[in-house]
Protein backbone atom coordinates (compact mmCIF):
# COMPACT_ATOMS: atom_id res chain seq x y z
CA UNK A 1 0.00 0.00 0.00
CA UNK A 2 1.47 3.40 -1.00
CA UNK A 3 1.40 6.26 1.48
CA UNK A 4 -1.17 8.27 -0.47
CA UNK A 5 -3.64 5.39 -0.24
CA UNK A 6 -2.72 4.81 3.40
CA UNK A 7 -3.56 8.39 4.35
CA UNK A 8 -6.77 8.38 2.33
CA UNK A 9 -7.79 5.28 4.31
CA UNK A 10 -6.75 6.90 7.60
CA UNK A 11 -8.89 9.96 6.87
CA UNK A 12 -11.82 7.66 6.06
CA UNK A 13 -11.23 5.86 9.37
CA UNK A 14 -11.21 9.18 11.23
CA UNK A 15 -14.54 10.17 9.70
CA UNK A 16 -15.92 6.72 10.48
CA UNK A 17 -14.79 7.08 14.09
CA UNK A 18 -16.41 10.49 14.25
CA UNK A 19 -19.72 9.17 12.93
CA UNK A 20 -19.55 6.20 15.30
CA UNK A 21 -18.73 8.10 18.50
CA UNK A 22 -20.02 11.61 17.98
CA UNK A 23 -23.04 10.16 16.20
CA UNK A 24 -24.67 8.97 19.40
CA UNK A 25 -23.72 12.24 21.12
CA UNK A 26 -25.60 14.15 18.44
CA UNK A 27 -28.46 11.68 18.73
CA UNK A 28 -28.80 12.26 22.47
CA UNK A 29 -28.88 16.02 21.85
CA UNK A 30 -31.64 15.61 19.27
CA UNK A 31 -33.72 13.60 21.72
CA UNK A 32 -33.42 15.98 24.69
CA UNK A 33 -36.86 17.62 24.18
CA UNK A 34 -38.49 14.33 23.17
CA UNK A 35 -37.29 11.69 25.63
CA UNK A 36 -36.62 13.90 28.64
CA UNK A 37 -39.83 14.84 30.44
CA UNK A 38 -38.27 17.00 33.14
CA UNK A 39 -35.18 19.10 33.66
CA UNK A 40 -33.72 16.36 35.85
CA UNK A 41 -34.15 13.76 33.12
CA UNK A 42 -32.62 16.03 30.49
CA UNK A 43 -29.68 16.61 32.84
CA UNK A 44 -29.33 12.84 33.16
CA UNK A 45 -29.26 12.48 29.38
CA UNK A 46 -26.48 15.06 29.18
CA UNK A 47 -24.65 13.21 31.96
CA UNK A 48 -24.73 10.10 29.80
CA UNK A 49 -22.51 11.80 27.21
CA UNK A 50 -20.88 14.41 29.46
CA UNK A 51 -17.56 12.60 30.03
CA UNK A 52 -17.01 11.66 26.37
CA UNK A 53 -18.58 14.14 23.94
CA UNK A 54 -15.63 16.53 23.83
CA UNK A 55 -13.17 13.67 23.31
CA UNK A 56 -15.29 12.42 20.43
CA UNK A 57 -14.90 15.81 18.71
CA UNK A 58 -11.17 15.09 18.45
CA UNK A 59 -11.87 12.69 15.60
CA UNK A 60 -13.24 15.58 13.52
CA UNK A 61 -10.32 17.86 14.36
CA UNK A 62 -7.76 15.20 13.47
CA UNK A 63 -9.61 14.39 10.24
CA UNK A 64 -9.40 18.05 9.21
CA UNK A 65 -5.75 18.30 10.24
CA UNK A 66 -4.85 15.09 8.41
CA UNK A 67 -6.56 16.35 5.25
CA UNK A 68 -4.60 19.61 5.46
CA UNK A 69 -1.26 17.85 5.94
CA UNK A 70 -1.67 14.82 3.67
CA UNK A 71 -3.79 16.30 0.86
CA UNK A 72 -3.27 20.09 0.77
CA UNK A 73 -4.86 20.48 -2.67
CA UNK A 74 -7.99 18.65 -1.49
CA UNK A 75 -8.08 20.74 1.67
CA UNK A 76 -7.68 24.02 -0.27
CA UNK A 77 -10.39 23.28 -2.82
CA UNK A 78 -12.85 21.79 -0.35
CA UNK A 79 -12.46 24.39 2.39
CA UNK A 80 -12.64 27.31 -0.05
CA UNK A 81 -15.62 25.89 -1.93
CA UNK A 82 -17.44 24.67 1.16
CA UNK A 83 -16.61 27.79 3.16
CA UNK A 84 -20.18 28.83 4.02
CA UNK A 85 -21.25 25.26 4.79
CA UNK A 86 -18.25 24.73 7.06
CA UNK A 87 -18.88 28.06 8.75
CA UNK A 88 -22.46 27.01 9.46
CA UNK A 89 -21.25 23.68 10.82
CA UNK A 90 -18.82 25.52 13.07
CA UNK A 91 -21.62 27.77 14.34
CA UNK A 92 -23.78 24.74 15.14
CA UNK A 93 -20.89 23.06 16.95
CA UNK A 94 -20.11 26.20 18.95
CA UNK A 95 -23.76 26.59 19.98
CA UNK A 96 -23.77 22.98 21.07
CA UNK A 97 -20.53 23.28 23.04
CA UNK A 98 -21.70 26.44 24.78
CA UNK A 99 -25.00 24.78 25.70
CA UNK A 100 -23.18 22.07 27.66
CA UNK A 101 -21.36 24.65 29.74
CA UNK A 102 -24.01 27.36 30.15
CA UNK A 103 -27.10 25.24 30.75
CA UNK A 104 -26.07 24.53 34.34
CA UNK A 105 -25.18 28.15 35.16
CA UNK A 106 -28.70 28.98 36.29
CA UNK A 107 -31.63 27.17 37.87
CA UNK A 108 -34.11 29.25 35.86
CA UNK A 109 -36.43 26.93 33.87
CA UNK A 110 -36.49 29.39 30.95
CA UNK A 111 -32.68 29.59 30.89
CA UNK A 112 -32.34 25.81 30.90
CA UNK A 113 -34.99 25.40 28.21
CA UNK A 114 -33.18 27.83 25.91
CA UNK A 115 -29.88 25.96 26.21
CA UNK A 116 -31.56 22.59 25.92
CA UNK A 117 -33.00 23.65 22.57
CA UNK A 118 -29.65 25.17 21.61
CA UNK A 119 -28.06 21.77 22.12
CA UNK A 120 -30.79 20.13 20.05
CA UNK A 121 -30.47 22.64 17.19
CA UNK A 122 -26.69 22.23 17.12
CA UNK A 123 -27.04 18.45 17.25
CA UNK A 124 -29.33 18.48 14.21
CA UNK A 125 -27.57 21.16 12.17
CA UNK A 126 -24.01 19.83 12.24
CA UNK A 127 -24.81 16.26 11.10
CA UNK A 128 -27.08 17.63 8.37
CA UNK A 129 -24.17 19.63 6.97
CA UNK A 130 -21.71 16.74 7.28
CA UNK A 131 -24.08 14.50 5.32
CA UNK A 132 -24.58 17.07 2.56
CA UNK A 133 -20.91 18.06 2.36
CA UNK A 134 -19.34 14.61 2.33
CA UNK A 135 -21.84 13.31 -0.20
CA UNK A 136 -21.17 16.32 -2.45
CA UNK A 137 -17.57 15.12 -2.78
CA UNK A 138 -18.89 12.06 -4.63
CA UNK A 139 -21.86 13.57 -6.44
CA UNK A 140 -19.67 16.31 -7.89
CA UNK A 141 -19.05 20.02 -7.46
CA UNK A 142 -17.87 22.63 -10.00
CA UNK A 143 -14.06 22.39 -10.22
CA UNK A 144 -12.10 24.08 -13.00
CA UNK A 145 -8.99 22.85 -14.78
CA UNK A 146 -6.76 24.51 -12.17
CA UNK A 147 -8.34 22.48 -9.39
CA UNK A 148 -10.19 25.50 -7.98
CA UNK A 149 -13.79 25.48 -6.83
CA UNK A 150 -15.86 27.29 -9.46
CA UNK A 151 -19.32 27.21 -7.90
CA UNK A 152 -21.19 28.63 -4.94
CA UNK A 153 -22.89 27.43 -1.79
CA UNK A 154 -26.00 26.18 -3.59
CA UNK A 155 -23.98 23.87 -5.83
CA UNK A 156 -23.56 21.57 -2.83
CA UNK A 157 -27.25 20.72 -2.89
CA UNK A 158 -28.83 18.02 -5.01
CA UNK A 159 -31.52 15.43 -4.27
CA UNK A 160 -28.77 12.95 -3.38
CA UNK A 161 -26.85 15.23 -1.01
CA UNK A 162 -29.99 16.55 0.72
CA UNK A 163 -31.19 12.98 1.18
CA UNK A 164 -27.78 12.15 2.64
CA UNK A 165 -28.04 14.97 5.16
CA UNK A 166 -31.49 13.86 6.31
CA UNK A 167 -30.33 10.24 6.51
CA UNK A 168 -27.37 11.12 8.73
CA UNK A 169 -29.63 13.10 11.09
CA UNK A 170 -32.18 10.28 11.45
CA UNK A 171 -29.50 7.59 11.74
CA UNK A 172 -27.72 9.55 14.47
CA UNK A 173 -31.00 9.99 16.35
CA UNK A 174 -31.53 6.23 16.21
CA UNK A 175 -27.93 5.62 17.26
CA UNK A 176 -28.37 8.01 20.19
CA UNK A 177 -31.61 6.39 21.30
CA UNK A 178 -30.02 2.93 21.41
CA UNK A 179 -27.12 4.42 23.36
CA UNK A 180 -29.51 5.86 25.95
CA UNK A 181 -31.10 2.45 26.49
CA UNK A 182 -27.68 1.32 27.74
CA UNK A 183 -26.83 4.35 29.85
CA UNK A 184 -30.07 5.21 31.65
CA UNK A 185 -32.44 3.52 34.09
CA UNK A 186 -36.14 3.49 34.96
CA UNK A 187 -38.67 5.53 33.04
CA UNK A 188 -35.98 7.32 31.09
CA UNK A 189 -34.62 4.02 29.83
CA UNK A 190 -38.12 2.87 28.87
CA UNK A 191 -38.81 6.05 26.91
CA UNK A 192 -35.41 5.78 25.24
CA UNK A 193 -36.28 2.24 24.19
CA UNK A 194 -39.65 3.46 22.87
CA UNK A 195 -37.98 6.28 20.93
CA UNK A 196 -35.45 3.85 19.45
CA UNK A 197 -38.26 1.57 18.27
CA UNK A 198 -40.10 4.47 16.65
CA UNK A 199 -36.91 5.59 14.92
CA UNK A 200 -35.83 2.11 13.84
CA UNK A 201 -37.91 1.78 10.68
CA UNK A 202 -37.22 5.25 9.18
CA UNK A 203 -33.53 5.08 10.11
CA UNK A 204 -33.04 1.62 8.63
CA UNK A 205 -34.96 2.41 5.43
CA UNK A 206 -33.23 5.75 4.89
CA UNK A 207 -29.84 4.21 5.61
CA UNK A 208 -30.39 1.36 3.19
CA UNK A 209 -31.63 3.65 0.42
CA UNK A 210 -28.71 6.03 0.94
CA UNK A 211 -26.15 3.22 0.79
CA UNK A 212 -27.61 1.83 -2.44
CA UNK A 213 -27.90 5.34 -3.91
CA UNK A 214 -24.25 5.99 -3.02
CA UNK A 215 -23.08 2.91 -4.93
CA UNK A 216 -25.27 3.87 -7.90
CA UNK A 217 -23.89 7.43 -7.81
CA UNK A 218 -20.33 6.12 -7.76
CA UNK A 219 -21.00 4.01 -10.83
CA UNK A 220 -22.75 6.84 -12.65
CA UNK A 221 -20.62 9.86 -11.73
CA UNK A 222 -17.25 8.47 -10.59
CA UNK A 223 -16.66 5.67 -13.13
CA UNK A 224 -16.69 2.97 -10.47
CA UNK A 225 -17.54 -0.71 -10.78
CA UNK A 226 -20.04 -2.39 -8.49
CA UNK A 227 -17.17 -3.87 -6.49
CA UNK A 228 -15.53 -2.83 -4.12
CA UNK A 229 -18.20 -0.25 -3.01
CA UNK A 230 -20.73 -3.06 -2.76
CA UNK A 231 -18.78 -4.79 0.02
CA UNK A 232 -19.17 -2.13 2.76
CA UNK A 233 -22.63 -1.41 1.37
CA UNK A 234 -23.76 -4.97 2.04
CA UNK A 235 -22.24 -4.87 5.52
CA UNK A 236 -24.08 -1.62 6.24
CA UNK A 237 -27.43 -2.89 5.00
CA UNK A 238 -27.16 -6.10 7.03
CA UNK A 239 -26.04 -4.19 10.15
CA UNK A 240 -28.95 -1.76 9.95
CA UNK A 241 -31.44 -4.58 9.49
CA UNK A 242 -29.97 -6.44 12.47
CA UNK A 243 -30.08 -3.31 14.61
CA UNK A 244 -33.85 -3.15 14.25
CA UNK A 245 -34.22 -6.90 14.75
CA UNK A 246 -32.15 -6.91 17.94
CA UNK A 247 -33.94 -3.84 19.26
CA UNK A 248 -37.39 -5.41 18.95
CA UNK A 249 -36.03 -8.58 20.55
CA UNK A 250 -34.93 -6.53 23.56
CA UNK A 251 -31.19 -6.99 22.89
CA UNK A 252 -30.33 -3.33 23.17
CA UNK A 253 -26.59 -3.88 23.53
CA UNK A 254 -26.44 -5.73 20.23
CA UNK A 255 -28.77 -3.18 18.62
CA UNK A 256 -26.38 -0.38 19.59
CA UNK A 257 -23.45 -2.37 18.22
CA UNK A 258 -25.24 -2.75 14.89
CA UNK A 259 -26.12 0.94 14.63
CA UNK A 260 -22.42 1.59 15.25
CA UNK A 261 -21.44 -0.82 12.46
CA UNK A 262 -24.05 0.78 10.21
CA UNK A 263 -22.62 4.27 10.78
CA UNK A 264 -19.09 3.05 10.04
CA UNK A 265 -20.23 1.14 6.95
CA UNK A 266 -22.01 4.23 5.65
CA UNK A 267 -18.74 6.19 5.73
CA UNK A 268 -16.81 3.24 4.32
CA UNK A 269 -19.23 2.96 1.41
CA UNK A 270 -18.88 6.66 0.65
CA UNK A 271 -15.07 6.72 0.73
CA UNK A 272 -14.76 3.43 -1.16
CA UNK A 273 -17.06 4.88 -3.80
CA UNK A 274 -14.98 8.07 -3.92
CA UNK A 275 -11.53 6.47 -4.40
CA UNK A 276 -9.27 7.09 -6.39
CA UNK A 277 -10.65 10.61 -6.39
CA UNK A 278 -11.12 12.93 -3.43
CA UNK A 279 -13.45 15.38 -5.17
CA UNK A 280 -15.46 14.66 -8.31
CA UNK A 281 -15.87 17.57 -10.72
CA UNK A 282 -19.35 18.14 -12.09
CA UNK A 283 -18.16 20.50 -14.82
CA UNK A 284 -15.61 18.13 -16.33
CA UNK A 285 -14.69 14.70 -15.02
CA UNK A 286 -11.07 15.27 -16.05
CA UNK A 287 -10.91 18.14 -13.54
CA UNK A 288 -11.63 15.85 -10.59
CA UNK A 289 -9.05 15.85 -7.81
CA UNK A 290 -7.34 12.48 -7.36
CA UNK A 291 -5.63 10.92 -4.36
CA UNK A 292 -2.23 10.98 -6.07
CA UNK A 293 -2.65 14.47 -7.53
CA UNK A 294 -3.81 16.11 -4.30
CA UNK A 295 -1.27 14.45 -1.96
CA UNK A 296 1.73 15.99 -0.20
CA UNK A 297 5.28 14.96 -0.99
CA UNK A 298 6.39 11.42 -0.22
CA UNK A 299 8.77 12.64 2.49
CA UNK A 300 6.00 14.60 4.24
CA UNK A 301 3.76 11.54 4.22
CA UNK A 302 6.60 9.42 5.62
CA UNK A 303 7.12 11.80 8.55
CA UNK A 304 3.37 11.95 9.21
CA UNK A 305 3.14 8.17 9.13
CA UNK A 306 5.82 7.82 11.82
CA UNK A 307 4.06 10.38 14.02
CA UNK A 308 0.70 8.67 13.52
CA UNK A 309 2.20 5.28 14.31
CA UNK A 310 3.37 6.59 17.69
CA UNK A 311 0.44 8.75 18.79
CA UNK A 312 -2.68 7.13 17.34
CA UNK A 313 -2.43 4.00 19.53
CA UNK A 314 -1.96 6.23 22.60
CA UNK A 315 -5.07 8.24 21.74
CA UNK A 316 -7.07 5.05 21.19
CA UNK A 317 -5.91 3.60 24.50
CA UNK A 318 -6.79 6.79 26.36
CA UNK A 319 -10.23 7.05 24.80
CA UNK A 320 -10.90 3.38 25.43
CA UNK A 321 -9.93 3.86 29.07
CA UNK A 322 -12.31 6.83 29.31
CA UNK A 323 -15.24 4.74 28.07
CA UNK A 324 -14.30 1.98 30.49
CA UNK A 325 -14.24 4.34 33.48
CA UNK A 326 -17.60 5.93 32.60
CA UNK A 327 -19.35 2.71 31.59
CA UNK A 328 -21.99 2.73 34.35
CA UNK A 329 -25.59 3.76 33.92
CA UNK A 330 -26.82 7.17 35.02
CA UNK A 331 -30.19 8.20 36.36
CA UNK A 332 -32.00 9.40 39.47
CA UNK A 333 -29.50 10.36 42.14
CA UNK A 334 -26.61 8.53 40.48
CA UNK A 335 -23.97 10.45 38.62
CA UNK A 336 -21.71 8.98 35.94
CA UNK A 337 -19.36 7.52 38.53
CA UNK A 338 -22.12 5.84 40.51
CA UNK A 339 -21.78 8.13 43.53
CA UNK A 340 -24.94 9.56 45.10
CA UNK A 341 -24.97 13.33 44.65
CA UNK A 342 -26.61 13.68 48.04
CA UNK A 343 -23.48 12.37 49.74
CA UNK A 344 -24.27 8.67 50.14
CA UNK A 345 -22.58 5.88 48.23
CA UNK A 346 -25.17 3.44 46.92
CA UNK A 347 -24.18 0.31 45.00
CA UNK A 348 -22.98 0.91 41.47
CA UNK A 349 -25.54 0.53 38.71
CA UNK A 350 -25.30 -2.63 36.61
CA UNK A 351 -22.86 -3.02 33.74
CA UNK A 352 -24.01 -2.33 30.21
CA UNK A 353 -25.91 -5.34 28.84
CA UNK A 354 -24.70 -7.25 25.82
Amino acid sequence: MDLELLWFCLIAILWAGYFLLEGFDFGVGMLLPVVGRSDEERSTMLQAIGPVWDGNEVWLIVAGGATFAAFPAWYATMFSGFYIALLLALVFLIIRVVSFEWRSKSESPRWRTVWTWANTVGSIGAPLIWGVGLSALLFGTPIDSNGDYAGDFWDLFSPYTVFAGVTVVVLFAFHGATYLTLRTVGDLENRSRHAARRLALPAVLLGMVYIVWTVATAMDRNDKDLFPPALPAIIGIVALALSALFLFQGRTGRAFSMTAVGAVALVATLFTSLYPRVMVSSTGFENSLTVDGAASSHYALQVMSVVALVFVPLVLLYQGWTYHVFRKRVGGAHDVSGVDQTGGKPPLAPELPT
Side-chain angles (χ1 to χ4, degrees):
M1 179 185 293
D2 57 47
L3 292 179
E4 292 82 3
L5 176 57
L6 172 64
W7 276 95
F8 179 81
C9 292
L10 286 177
I11 291 171
I13 291 171
L14 290 168
W15 275 107
Y18 180 68
F19 271 47
L20 164 62
L21 299 175
E22 192 68 358
F24 64 73
D25 286 350
F26 284 131
V28 171
M30 296 177 202
L31 296 173
L32 282 173
V34 179
V35 174
R37 297 289 176 82
S38 65
D39 180 69
E40 181 182 359
E41 288 188 343
R42 286 186 280 272
S43 296
T44 299
M45 293 171 67
L46 292 175
Q47 278 187 340
I49 59 174
V52 297
W53 71 266
D54 50 353
N56 294 340
E57 292 283 357
V58 171
W59 291 79
L60 174 64
I61 297 171
V62 177
T67 304
F68 170 77
F71 299 98
W74 180 14
Y75 180 92
T77 302
M78 181 171 66
F79 274 66
S80 60
F82 294 15
Y83 182 82
I84 296 178
L86 292 172
L87 180 61
L88 286 173
L90 184 61
V91 170
F92 284 126
L93 291 175
I94 291 174
I95 291 173
R96 182 170 174 266
V97 170
V98 171
S99 72
F100 280 107
E101 300 297 330
W102 284 19
R103 185 179 180 276
S104 61
K105 299 300 182 183
S106 173
E107 296 296 329
S108 167
R110 179 175 297 180
W111 173 272
R112 293 203 166 205
T113 298
V114 167
W115 290 111
T116 295
W117 278 102
N119 192 293
T120 298
V121 170
S123 297
I124 294 174
L128 180 67
I129 293 175
W130 298 140
V132 170
L134 290 175
S135 298
L137 299 177
L138 175 64
F139 188 81
T141 54
I143 301 175
D144 62 25
S145 58
N146 295 321
D148 298 326
Y149 188 83
D152 56 29
F153 172 72
W154 300 109
D155 288 311
L156 300 179
F157 296 94
S158 67
Y160 168 69
T161 60
V162 172
F163 185 85
V166 173
T167 298
V168 171
V169 170
V170 176
L171 183 59
F172 281 4
F174 181 42
H175 192 32
T178 58
Y179 175 78
L180 285 173
T181 64
L182 303 179
R183 297 285 283 119
T184 57
V185 296
D187 292 340
L188 187 56
E189 178 192 1
N190 292 332
R191 285 198 297 274
S192 298
R193 192 187 306 270
H194 181 68
R197 288 178 175 177
R198 294 188 65 179
L199 287 165
L201 182 60
V204 169
L205 290 179
L206 288 173
M208 288 179 174
V209 171
Y210 172 71
I211 288 173
V212 172
W213 199 347
T214 296
V215 175
T217 300
M219 297 173 66
D220 179 49
R221 303 181 69 89
N222 197 28
D223 195 27
K224 295 285 290 187
D225 294 326
L226 181 61
F227 187 84
L231 180 58
I234 292 172
I235 294 174
I237 289 172
V238 171
L240 290 174
L242 287 175
S243 68
L245 176 63
F246 288 143
L247 180 65
F248 285 99
Q249 289 179 344
R251 301 178 179 179
T252 53
R254 293 185 180 184
F256 174 73
S257 298
M258 289 300 101
T259 60
V261 173
V264 170
L266 184 146
V267 176
T269 302
L270 179 62
F271 275 83
T272 305
S273 299
L274 187 59
Y275 183 81
R277 277 155 281 278
V278 292
M279 289 186 73
V280 175
S281 173
S282 60
T283 53
F285 190 65
E286 66 280 358
N287 296 335
S288 301
L289 299 183
T290 64
V291 169
D292 291 336
S296 295
S297 67
H298 186 74
Y299 177 74
L301 295 178
Q302 281 184 319
V303 174
M304 291 169 56
S305 299
V306 173
V307 173
L309 185 64
V310 173
F311 287 101
V312 168
L314 296 177
V315 172
L316 292 176
L317 286 172
Y318 174 77
Q319 194 156 29
W321 174 80
T322 301
Y323 276 93
H324 175 74
V325 170
F326 296 104
R327 68 190 183 279
K328 306 297 181 181
R329 291 179 180 267
V330 295
H334 299 276
D335 66 10
V336 292
S337 63
V339 178
D340 191 333
Q341 302 207 30
T342 64
K345 293 185 179 180
L348 291 175
E351 302 279 352
L352 299 183
T354 59

